[in-house]
Amino acid sequence: MKNESLQNELKTLLGDRISISPSVRNTFGGGEDVFDPILPQAVVFPENNQEISSIVKLCNNHLTPIIPFGTGTSLEGNVLGIENGITLSLEKMNKIISINEEDFDCRVQAYVTRKQLNEELKSKGVFFPIDPGADASLGGMTATSASGTMAVRYGTMKTVVSGLTVILPNGEIVKTGSRSKKTAAGYNLTNLFIGSEGTLGVISEVNLRLNPIPESIMSAICQFEDLESAVLTAQQVIQYGIHIARIEMLNKDQIEISINYSKLKNLDLKPTLFFEFHGSENSNKESIEIVESISNENGGSKFKWAVSTEERNKLWQARHDVYYSVKAEKNNIKVYTTDICVPISNLVEAIKFAEVEIKNYGLRAPMVGHVGDGNFHVAIQYDPKDKNSYKIIREFSNKLIQKALDLEGTITGEHGVGIHKKEYLIKQHQDNLPYMKLIKKSFDPNNIMNPGKIFD
């Protein structure tokens, strides 16, 4: 580590919970994205809020950048290392602080993962509904404003986070929000930190709203002759007002990859919708009848039901494993992913545009979508040694992003901006950027918190 004074101060504070090992620095040099890792000067492993505060104060005094790091599953370069900075791993902040099932809320440290939390909650009759593909940390999910397959019913992290503990760039520890159902007390600082990607402070604790486990959960698969019919079905289901828990789309390329990777059976190589219904047995029965009717009108196949809990879990695990299935299909490849989100009435046009442009560029691009809320993802394999491939993919991405903006959508529904989408943020929010930068400068005048992410 070049700054020996800072290194010695951190060693005094943390003992052996600071590492300058190249292998550790490489592990914490980036996320699940297309970028090669950038090794920080060191990685530190605090165990509580006060230690994080002390680390941040030291780094601020030495003008040394800090990258907060959870499970490292981000996809847009959000946690890419900085050569002259340190990475602050939150992996020792993994305790569930409290569960209040009677009030449907809980408080967790930042590294608690969604699966860990739901394992603890299942005996209490409640669950946490936000489920991105990876078993991400809840602090990281907050920092990137994550969502997932159940956003159509239960919302996103912005919906379920009611309060935070954040360590600011000057080392001050602040608590935002409250456990109450609503508040009118001043500015909404909680939502300011949600989606801030570690650029305003280190999120160390999260207060979350929970939901009762439904009486009846039913999952089914329906397949279609073309992608447009599948997406139109999803659009009509939402417009009809059905309270469905999930509608997930996999295009023909993706269902082929998922069949092989996740060992799915009795499926054709056709565009596919995964459905899930939450509610009472009677309400689910009514919803299913309407959704089956809409699907039939659009040429959908007979529903194939996941009869057991094991089958249902396998089905949704296959959906969550989509990124890893694409990545595992070939050796020595990278996967360029991008996501956009548009108003539901414009979803068919957006996906049809993507499908046509993919063919025009001669790309094979698995597509998946949280189509119930207008959000879909494109994942494109490429050889990192072939610079022309990346250039072509980026051209396609540029067109898709512009189409999303033309359709009054957004450049990212849930991945965040990181490094990869900075130029796109300028397109979407050019008038907002000066004010975002003012906020950043107000919180972080020395620009030590994850600098270079979201904007320059």
Side-chain angles (χ1 to χ4, degrees):
M1 187 170 175
K2 293 175 183 177
N3 189 332
E4 289 186 12
S5 175
L6 176 59
Q7 181 179 348
N8 289 334
E9 290 175 274
L10 290 171
K11 278 186 176 180
T12 300
L13 175 68
L14 301 169
D16 62 359
R17 287 181 286 114
I18 173 174
S19 177
I20 57 172
S21 157
S23 61
V24 173
R25 289 156 56 211
N26 186 70
T27 299
F28 290 89
E32 294 272 359
D33 47 53
V34 299
F35 301 102
D36 293 328
I38 296 177
L39 275 62
Q41 291 287 305
V43 183
V44 295
F45 301 88
E47 293 182 337
N48 54 57
N49 291 335
Q50 195 55 56
E51 283 189 346
I52 297 173
S53 173
S54 297
I55 292 165
V56 172
K57 283 178 183 175
L58 288 174
C59 289
N60 199 32
N61 290 341
H62 287 273
L63 303 180
T64 299
I66 304 172
I67 303 93
F69 198 102
T71 55
T73 56
S74 57
L75 294 169
E76 303 290 352
N78 316 67
V79 293
L80 194 67
I82 295 175
E83 287 181 352
N84 66 333
I86 70 165
T87 291
L88 188 151
S89 170
L90 290 150
E91 66 181 56
K92 294 187 180 296
M93 304 281 287
N94 61 355
K95 296 179 182 64
I96 296 171
I97 298 168
S98 63
I99 298 172
N100 309 291
E101 61 267 35
E102 66 275 12
D103 290 322
F104 298 102
D105 73 66
C106 68
R107 193 169 187 88
V108 300
Q109 290 185 320
Y111 198 80
V112 172
T113 67
R114 64 178 183 86
K115 288 183 180 179
Q116 176 190 349
L117 178 59
N118 274 324
E119 187 65 28
E120 187 72 20
L121 293 175
K122 66 182 182 182
S123 64
K124 301 179 184 297
V126 294
F127 80 112
F128 175 71
I130 312 303
D131 64 335
D135 188 22
S137 65
L138 292 161
M141 288 169 60
T142 303
T144 54
S145 193
S147 51
T149 65
M150 288 194 271
V152 63
R153 174 71 178 265
Y154 298 102
T156 70
M157 289 303 284
K158 275 192 165 71
T159 313
V160 301
V161 174
S162 60
L164 298 169
T165 299
V166 183
I167 289 80
L168 300 181
N170 64 2
E172 186 177 349
I173 302 170
V174 299
K175 290 190 176 183
T176 73
S178 72
R179 286 183 54 215
S180 58
K181 191 75 174 177
K182 60 183 181 179
T183 177
Y187 293 167
N188 189 345
L189 293 184
T190 301
N191 272 18
L192 179 62
F193 289 108
I194 298 172
S196 63
E197 300 183 27
T199 62
L200 299 179
V202 181
I203 294 170
S204 65
E205 296 176 8
V206 188
N207 212 86
L208 298 164
R209 296 189 175 99
L210 307 173
N211 289 84
I213 295 174
E215 173 193 332
S216 170
I217 300 175
M218 301 182 71
S219 298
I221 291 175
C222 184
Q223 297 196 283
F224 296 81
E225 293 303 319
D226 57 77
L227 190 60
E228 187 175 353
S229 298
V231 179
L232 182 61
T233 298
Q235 179 178 313
Q236 290 174 345
V237 167
I238 297 303
Q239 290 172 335
Y240 200 93
I242 303 297
H243 291 296
I244 196 163
R246 323 192 212 198
I247 314 179
E248 293 292 304
M249 175 275 293
L250 284 73
N251 75 344
K252 182 180 176 182
D253 286 338
Q254 182 57 59
I255 198 67
E256 180 179 5
I257 294 171
S258 292
I259 286 170
N260 294 328
Y261 183 84
S262 300
K263 305 296 186 285
L264 299 177
K265 297 178 180 178
N266 304 317
L267 290 177
D268 298 321
L269 302 184
K270 294 179 178 180
T272 303
L273 291 182
F274 290 4
F275 294 105
E276 187 162 278
F277 303 86
H278 290 184
S280 66
E281 290 190 8
N282 287 337
S283 67
N284 278 351
K285 184 179 178 182
E286 291 175 5
S287 296
I288 289 165
E289 287 177 357
I290 297 170
V291 173
E292 283 186 315
S293 175
I294 293 171
S295 299
N296 289 339
E297 288 174 6
N298 289 311
S301 67
K302 187 176 180 181
F303 276 28
K304 295 173 182 171
W305 292 96
V307 178
S308 65
T309 301
E310 183 180 0
E311 286 181 21
R312 188 175 75 238
N313 290 342
K314 183 178 180 180
L315 174 68
W316 292 109
Q317 189 60 50
R319 171 59 188 90
H320 286 315
D321 286 344
V322 157
Y323 173 78
Y324 302 104
S325 71
V326 175
K327 201 169 184 179
E329 193 183 29
K330 297 178 183 178
N331 294 325
N332 302 316
I333 61 162
K334 290 193 174 183
V335 178
Y336 184 109
T337 63
T338 191
D339 81 310
I340 63 167
C341 190
V342 298
I344 191 71
S345 60
N346 292 334
L347 184 61
V348 172
E349 183 177 347
I351 290 184
K352 193 173 180 180
F353 175 87
E355 192 176 31
V356 170
E357 287 299 322
I358 286 166
K359 290 176 182 176
N360 288 344
Y361 279 98
L363 299 170
R364 177 174 180 264
M367 291 171 57
V368 297
H370 313 305
V371 285
D373 47 49
N375 182 206
F376 70 94
H377 310 249
V378 182
I380 308 171
Q381 302 162 337
Y382 74 99
D383 181 351
K385 295 176 184 176
D386 184 353
K387 302 302 180 187
N388 193 51
S389 290
Y390 180 88
K391 183 181 176 183
I392 290 169
I393 293 167
R394 190 70 176 182
E395 284 180 14
F396 161 75
S397 178
N398 293 344
K399 285 190 176 182
L400 182 61
I401 292 293
Q402 188 57 55
K403 184 66 174 179
L405 296 177
D406 291 344
L407 294 174
E408 299 181 281
T410 179
I411 63 170
T412 174
E414 57 189 19
H415 287 185
V417 177
I419 289 175
H420 226 188
K421 289 193 169 182
K422 287 196 290 188
E423 67 181 80
Y424 298 152
L425 184 65
I426 296 170
K427 284 187 175 184
Q428 180 172 346
H429 284 313
Q430 188 170 12
D431 55 339
N432 290 193
L433 272 175
Y435 301 99
M436 292 184 190
K437 291 180 178 182
L438 276 174
I439 292 169
K440 167 71 170 169
K441 192 167 182 63
S442 175
F443 276 85
D444 184 18
N446 291 327
N447 194 29
I448 65 161
M449 295 303 310
N450 210 8
K453 313 298 168 60
I454 302 182
F455 47 73
D456 292 318

